Amino acid sequence: MVSDGPLKAYDADFHIHIGRALGKPVKIAAGASLTLENLLHHAAYVKGLDVVTVIDGVCDNVLLEVERLVDEGQLTPVAGGGLLFRDRLLVLLGAEVELSGPTGGAAHFGCWFPDVLRAKDFNGWLKTVQKNTQLSSQRAYTDAVALAAQTHERDGLFIVHHAFTPFKGLLGNCVRQVGDFLDIHQVDALELGLSSDSSMADRLSELSELTFVTNSDAHGVKTIAREYNRVRMQGLNFAEVAKVLHREAGRGIEANYGLHPQQGKYYRTRCRVCDELVAGNGACRCATDKHHVYGVKDRLDDISDLVEPAHPAHRPEYVHHVPLCDIPGVGPTAYRKLLEAYGTELAIRRTADESTLTDVVGERLGIVIARALRGEFTWEAGGAGTYGKIIF
């Protein structure tokens, strides 16, 4: 389809949590320093993002803080939907909602909204199906069809969150096919999660028409943009983001940037007690599977209908990368020097080379960072909640 105007590239992280709002908890597992204002500042000025979804933006106290920032002029409503933070960062308001699986387990879904009014209206509906709308990721006593319908009735976007994880992943611990949980045509995009990539997900043929998104699911400011999307659209507003997910009028995702799946903390099946990786249905040193956490790779080997991935023509490149703070030797001093030299973390990824890096942080660390940026490393695989380790 022909574009209706010039398109530009933007960097987007569509899944960032809030730790506290108005001094009260929002996402229990998130850090207290991850307030709305810290999130916005860090995303814009430290990470270098252009678009974020505040996935707890529909929670009671977060909505109040959003309205305060609008009144103060720090957030400005945008034609086409969304809010602009200090004229540089598009902010979308979302909710992460937990639903029971049809035969057990539970799954998380993202619901994004174009403005404060519709976010507040959705909050009002949530109060009829949730016990506590002050907190994020709470169980809703409804079904996925109804949740998607309520989202779309408010012109929102409905996303499957971290689809393959063993905890709260639709395909990781609930069902073997999306169609066993809801109508796949109600889904606007599917989030891969930290322990999978496009090659793993494209072994499931039912997902071929869906857009894949790669987001940080950040629970602290440091992990914002550990996974993100390079998107192609005409400008910064909600309507353009919707066109990206639906691949309309030339819009779309140019590249998914994400951790190597082996760095993910649920990549392989692992025992939580003895920390041993478990192949197939094998036993660990504990001689029991009672404490095993089913790995994403092993789960996909079980449920996939394709031996090899079949990438549809619309699927963009998946770029494996290592977050800057995960590179061995990058401590607070080196991190500060790098930001002073390049401006933001994403600028480092786009423009840094070995020569300039060694000028900033010295030869030894500069070479290590350059090798990490080029992907010259292997992994000790993660599992059971333990992240994988980089091996040079």
Side-chain angles (χ1 to χ4, degrees):
M1 187 178 294
V2 178
S3 168
D4 54 3
L7 302 179
K8 299 179 182 179
Y10 300 94
D11 294 311
D13 182 351
F14 296 117
H15 187 164
I16 306 175
H17 283 285
I18 297 285
R20 298 182 78 84
L22 299 181
K24 298 179 180 179
V26 178
K27 179 72 173 179
I28 298 298
S33 64
L34 189 51
T35 62
L36 177 61
E37 290 184 81
N38 283 349
L39 183 163
L40 300 178
H41 175 86
H42 215 79
Y45 298 106
V46 178
K47 298 296 181 173
L49 289 165
D50 303 299
V51 186
V52 296
T53 297
V54 178
I55 204 58
D56 301 329
V58 174
C59 293
D60 298 355
N61 291 330
V62 181
L63 271 172
L64 291 173
E65 291 204 344
V66 167
E67 291 182 307
R68 175 178 61 82
L69 293 180
V70 171
D71 290 341
E72 293 175 357
Q74 294 193 64
L75 285 172
T76 307
V78 178
L83 300 162
L84 201 60
F85 175 65
R86 297 179 183 173
D87 297 324
R88 63 175 295 163
L89 178 72
L90 178 66
V91 180
L92 310 182
L93 301 180
E96 181 172 72
V97 180
E98 181 176 308
L99 297 177
S100 298
T103 59
H108 283 175
F109 298 89
C111 312
W112 311 347
F113 299 97
D115 53 44
V116 175
L117 183 63
R118 277 171 278 202
K120 290 179 68 175
D121 191 57
F122 185 76
N123 171 276
W125 174 77
L126 277 181
K127 290 182 185 300
T128 69
V129 295
Q130 278 185 346
K131 293 182 179 179
N132 188 350
T133 54
Q134 289 190 29
L135 296 178
S136 169
S137 314
Q138 297 299 289
R139 181 73 59 93
Y141 297 93
T142 185
D143 58 46
V145 172
L147 181 63
Q150 291 290 334
T151 302
H152 291 142
E153 282 178 16
R154 295 164 176 82
D155 301 316
L157 295 166
F158 184 71
I159 317 299
V160 175
H161 273 183
H162 41 73
F164 308 107
T165 55
F167 301 106
K168 316 304 183 185
L170 180 137
L171 293 169
N173 86 133
C174 288
V175 294
R176 300 175 68 89
Q177 293 184 316
V178 174
D180 295 333
F181 205 114
L182 77 160
D183 181 356
I184 198 168
H185 297 100
Q186 291 182 296
V187 177
D188 295 297
L190 180 140
E191 181 184 87
L192 295 175
L194 303 182
S195 298
S196 64
D197 60 13
S198 297
S199 289
M200 295 170 68
D202 273 332
R203 291 177 57 202
L204 294 167
S205 58
E206 73 159 340
L207 305 182
S208 63
E209 292 304 311
L210 290 179
T211 293
F212 292 161
V213 289
T214 39
N215 304 314
S216 68
D217 191 3
H219 287 47
V221 291
K222 288 184 178 180
T223 51
I224 293 171
R226 61 180 169 182
E227 295 201 340
Y228 64 98
N229 310 270
R230 188 76 166 167
V231 303
R232 180 179 61 254
M233 56 189 187
Q234 191 176 13
L236 291 172
N237 62 67
F238 185 92
E240 285 292 308
V241 171
K243 289 180 180 179
V244 166
L245 298 190
H246 297 145
R247 306 187 298 277
E248 295 178 359
R251 279 76 163 173
I253 294 181
E254 289 188 350
N256 294 114
Y257 287 83
L259 308 184
H260 193 289
Q262 292 192 57
Q263 189 181 357
K265 61 182 180 179
Y266 297 119
Y267 179 66
R268 294 302 309 274
T269 301
R270 194 176 204 135
C271 178
R272 278 182 156 174
V273 174
C274 68
D275 204 36
E276 187 173 344
L277 290 175
V278 182
N281 295 318
C284 62
R285 288 192 294 272
C286 300
T288 175
D289 63 0
K290 181 179 180 181
H291 305 291
H292 292 180
V293 178
Y294 203 11
V296 171
K297 178 186 182 300
D298 305 298
R299 172 65 171 175
L300 280 167
D301 285 343
D302 179 30
I303 68 174
S304 295
D305 61 324
L306 303 173
V307 176
E308 298 294 331
H311 298 302
H314 67 81
R315 189 75 70 224
E317 177 186 14
Y318 192 105
V319 181
H320 298 107
H321 78 115
V322 181
L324 193 61
C325 288
D326 289 348
I327 299 172
V330 179
T333 300
Y335 182 74
R336 185 179 65 253
K337 288 180 179 179
L338 288 164
L339 289 181
E340 289 173 352
Y342 294 96
T344 66
E345 283 195 26
L346 296 191
I348 295 168
R349 174 154 305 282
R350 285 194 294 269
T351 64
D353 57 31
E354 190 168 310
S355 175
T356 58
L357 285 167
T358 56
D359 288 341
V360 174
V361 295
E363 183 175 5
R364 183 175 180 178
L365 182 55
I367 291 172
V368 169
I369 296 172
R371 289 182 62 190
L373 294 177
R374 293 195 298 265
E376 297 174 1
F377 50 82
T378 58
W379 292 103
E380 178 183 316
T386 300
Y387 286 99
K389 297 178 183 178
I390 305 171
I391 301 171
F392 283 99

